[in-house]
């Protein structure tokens, strides 16, 4: 179970020239959405020392938000290791096809680009934007040099998550 709370006092509104209650609500909604995104991606219930994917060099503290349930990364890295792969420190456009081929039996679950997406952290997203295959218009009609974004790779949507590895100082 996860939840949130915000303390609010009527005196704050009475003494303020600016109506900031809507801003407080917006900040709570934004923060909540960011935490839920982090949880769905980084969730890991493992509490043993050096075994949680979010804290491989320590022991999680009771109440850490990522301990609520297992997320997407835990599934590939620990639960179903056959679906895990490493780009070995360098990223090439072929890594995306190789990743799609890991989904389902013989990659069949990754064959419909309308049903899958690449969820990437910020560092991977920036590395993607530097790939020659997505960089210029002579190769890619939605070139990152022109529009500034990588929105698809091999027809599959790209969802950058700035909340992935949220609790890690190393990211």
């Amino acid at each position: 179970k996860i939840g949130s709370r915000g303390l609010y006092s009527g005196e704050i509104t009475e003494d303020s020239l600016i109506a900031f209650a809507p801003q407080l609500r917006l900040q709570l909604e934004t923060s909540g959405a960011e935490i839920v995104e982090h949880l769905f991606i980084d969730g890991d219930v493992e509490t043993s020392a050096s075994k949680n994917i979010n804290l491989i060099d320590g022991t999680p503290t009771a109440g850490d938000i990522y301990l609520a349930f297992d997320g997407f990364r835990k599934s590939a890295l620990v639960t179903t290791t056959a679906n895990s792969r490493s780009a070995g420190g360098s990223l090439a456009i072929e890594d995306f096809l190789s990743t799609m081929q890991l989904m389902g039996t013989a990659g069949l679950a990754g064959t419909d680009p309308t049903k899958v997406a690449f969820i990437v952290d910020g560092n991977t997203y920036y590395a993607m934007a530097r790939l020659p295959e997505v960089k210029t218009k002579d190769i890619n009609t939605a070139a990152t040099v022109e529009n500034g974004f990588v929105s698809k790779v091999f027809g599959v949507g790209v969802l950058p998550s700035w909340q992935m590895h949220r609790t890690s100082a190393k990211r």
Side-chain angles (χ1 to χ4, degrees):
K1 179 178 181 178
I2 60 172
S4 68
R5 72 175 184 169
L7 301 176
Y8 179 80
S9 166
E11 290 88 9
I12 294 175
T13 304
E14 292 171 1
D15 296 338
S16 176
L17 295 173
I18 301 167
F20 62 86
Q23 178 64 24
L24 291 175
R25 180 185 167 136
L26 177 64
Q27 286 178 306
L28 185 59
E29 288 174 3
T30 302
S31 176
E34 289 172 350
I35 294 294
V36 169
E37 180 180 327
H38 161 60
L39 182 56
F40 275 95
I41 294 170
D42 293 329
D44 186 357
V45 299
E46 180 62 59
T47 57
S48 302
S50 305
K51 290 189 177 179
N52 188 292
I53 62 171
N54 299 287
L55 191 63
I56 58 170
D57 56 355
T59 305
T61 305
D64 283 340
I65 189 67
Y66 55 78
L67 293 174
F69 54 81
D70 290 339
F72 298 139
R73 284 194 320 122
K74 169 81 179 253
S75 176
L77 294 174
V78 179
T79 309
T80 315
T81 56
N83 293 342
S84 178
R85 62 179 304 276
S86 172
S90 63
L91 183 66
I93 198 71
E94 292 79 15
D95 289 323
F96 294 96
L97 282 177
S98 298
T99 301
M100 286 171 55
Q101 290 174 315
L102 292 174
M103 295 184 215
T105 305
L108 292 178
T111 56
D112 185 350
T114 65
K115 294 188 171 108
V116 295
F118 293 111
I119 303 172
V120 297
D121 67 338
N123 294 323
T124 304
Y125 185 75
Y126 290 134
M128 289 172 66
R130 290 184 180 100
L131 290 172
E133 293 84 357
V134 300
K135 202 171 184 181
T136 58
K137 195 163 186 137
D138 60 329
I139 298 172
N140 180 0
T141 58
T144 56
V145 171
E146 184 175 310
N147 71 13
F149 301 101
V150 179
S151 57
K152 289 187 176 185
V153 176
F154 294 110
V156 174
V158 174
L159 303 171
S161 171
W162 308 107
Q163 305 309 314
M164 189 182 292
H165 313 291
R166 179 184 175 105
T167 58
S168 172
K170 298 170 187 160
R171 289 199 176 205

